[in-house]
Amino acid sequence: MASPQKAAAQTDARLGRIVRLLIAHATVVVSGTKIAAEIGTSRSEIWRLVQQLRDLGVDIAGHPSTGYSLRSMPDLLLPDMLALQLHGTLFGEHIHHYYKIGSTNTVALEAASAGAPEGSVFLAEQQTAGRGRGANQWHSERSVGIYCSALLRPALPPSDVLVLTLAAGLAVCSAIQEIDSRVVPDLKWPNDVLIDGKKVCGVLTEMQAEVTRVRYVVVGIGINVNQWSFPADLQAIATSLRLATGTEWSRVEVCVALLRSLDREYRSLLENADATASILHRFEERSSSARGQRVVVEDGGFEGVTEGLDSRGFLQVRTDQGMRTILSGVVRPA
Ligand code: BTN
């Protein structure tokens, strides 16, 4: 009989504290004794934790008998690297980080059903079973992408949840443009962000709901950040921020910008009566395909021309038989 799979462990919070300490003393060598005292453990345990950080890709020099120093600023999505900059947002308090996990959406859904608070964020350096829409997988190579799931508990009927996916796409676009305004992301309904016609980000929104009320929603966002290449089957359709711009991006910076932007969109949705209309309007503005594009709706097996989004965010397609509202499924250029 197969033994049950062991749940992936969260990254040891002491790793983030060590990194923070080394950043705070970036120009000097910090002794193992000092780190051990600050973290509240032994020098040999610090040595073991430093090894773990090196395995995560953090470039730490070890100086025999004197201590440790950072050779370069690490770009890890550790809670200690993010929390300060997310202070005051919904996402600053409950950040969970995993070195390697099946899927951040799966762990977020499990945490949500066990009562985790709204605003909990689940991040991984690597996913071994990253999920996309339908039966798709999400390519989740170690430490080059952002694999992020945010837990929300909005007072919405299930039929209104699509707007959260659209808002997440807008948040990704804002985050990218805040960092480099020369990049022009294009939204493809309902959950893709494209650059130069290739996919740089996908959003997977999953929920648990009663008939009239959502219990919780997990918004899973995958962003290709620093990939230099993709497996052969993805090469023609995927890109990364690095491939699109020719420069390396800070995942920490992108992740902070993303969560701050998602916080603004979500708060506005809860507080302003006209926020949904604004999201729909901005989505259409940012999408080259939401209006006037000839498309094939794969699951329905019909063709038509896109005519924007309806009041809940569903895509309208004009066909020879009249207007059709697309609730889900794949829509591709005809
Ligand atoms: C898609 O384009 O089909 C959606 C892709 C969503 C990928 C993200 S990565 C973080 C989160 N965890 C998952 O398993 N999937 C989402």
Side-chain angles (χ1 to χ4, degrees), residues 156-162 207 209-214:
L156 288 177
S159 53
D160 285 0
V161 163
L162 174 58
M207 68 174 158
E210 293 162 16
V211 177
T212 56
R213 186 181 72 92
V214 164

Side-chain angles (χ1 to χ4, degrees), residues 103-105 127 130-133 138 148-149 191 199 202-203 221-222:
S103 153
T104 54
N105 261 35
Q127 295 186 121
R131 295 189 281 113
R133 279 176 81 220
W138 186 255
C148 170
S149 300
N191 70 319
K199 186 156 165 168
V203 179
I221 301 171

Side-chain angles (χ1 to χ4, degrees), residues 29-77:
V29 174
V30 188
S31 74
T33 312
K34 181 177 166 66
I35 303 176
E38 294 269 348
I39 307 297
T41 187
S42 64
R43 278 181 58 194
S44 59
E45 182 65 357
I46 295 299
W47 182 86
R48 203 183 60 78
L49 293 169
V50 166
Q51 285 308 121
Q52 276 188 35
L53 282 167
R54 287 180 175 141
D55 289 346
L56 275 165
V58 183
D59 195 1
I60 300 178
H63 304 269
S65 72
T66 48
Y68 305 97
S69 65
L70 272 181
R71 281 209 192 90
S72 58
M73 195 68 172
D75 192 29
L76 286 180
L77 303 176

Side-chain angles (χ1 to χ4, degrees), residues 103-326:
S103 153
T104 54
N105 261 35
T106 303
V107 78
L109 288 167
E110 285 165 6
S113 92
E118 174 163 77
S120 298
V121 175
F122 301 82
L123 292 158
E125 294 302 313
Q126 180 183 2
Q127 295 186 121
T128 53
R131 295 189 281 113
R133 279 176 81 220
N136 292 335
Q137 294 172 353
W138 186 255
H139 179 66
S140 309
E141 208 181 320
R142 178 177 138 188
S143 297
V144 285
I146 291 175
Y147 317 114
C148 170
S149 300
L151 167 59
L152 303 173
R153 295 183 181 276
L156 288 177
S159 53
D160 285 0
V161 163
L162 174 58
V163 77
L164 291 173
T165 302
L166 306 180
L170 283 166
V172 172
C173 293
S174 307
I176 293 172
Q177 289 219 298
E178 259 172 48
I179 297 169
D180 188 341
S181 58
R182 291 167 305 175
V183 183
V184 185
D186 182 18
L187 287 165
K188 177 171 174 284
W189 187 89
N191 70 319
D192 292 351
V193 183
L194 312 178
I195 298 178
D196 302 328
K198 291 182 171 185
K199 186 156 165 168
V200 73
C201 164
V203 179
L204 177 65
T205 303
E206 300 183 287
M207 68 174 158
Q208 171 71 254
E210 293 162 16
V211 177
T212 56
R213 186 181 72 92
V214 164
R215 282 210 189 106
Y216 51 81
V217 178
V218 166
V219 180
I221 301 171
I223 307 181
N224 301 329
V225 181
N226 283 326
Q227 287 89 342
W228 266 126
S229 63
F230 287 92
D233 57 327
L234 296 179
Q235 257 165 35
I237 54 171
T239 191
S240 69
L241 295 173
R242 184 180 197 161
L243 284 169
T245 59
T247 54
E248 189 163 340
W249 288 53
S250 154
R251 288 185 312 139
V252 169
E253 197 181 353
V254 176
C255 192
V256 166
L258 166 68
L259 290 171
R260 291 177 72 94
S261 180
L262 190 62
D263 175 72
R264 285 195 297 275
E265 295 287 355
Y266 186 60
R267 272 178 209 268
S268 164
L269 203 55
L270 298 184
E271 289 162 15
N272 303 325
D274 57 358
T276 297
S278 159
I279 288 168
L280 301 179
H281 176 71
R282 284 180 292 130
F283 190 97
E284 283 194 21
E285 265 185 355
R286 274 223 155 273
S287 171
S288 65
S289 51
R291 258 183 205 279
Q293 188 179 62
R294 182 136 208 107
V295 291
V296 176
V297 180
E298 284 190 352
D299 306 344
F302 59 86
E303 262 190 55
V305 176
T306 56
E307 289 238 349
L309 309 181
D310 74 4
S311 61
R312 286 180 171 163
F314 295 112
L315 187 67
Q316 309 268 81
V317 175
R318 182 170 296 283
T319 71
D320 291 345
Q321 285 74 45
M323 192 72 92
R324 305 277 290 260
T325 300
I326 315 304

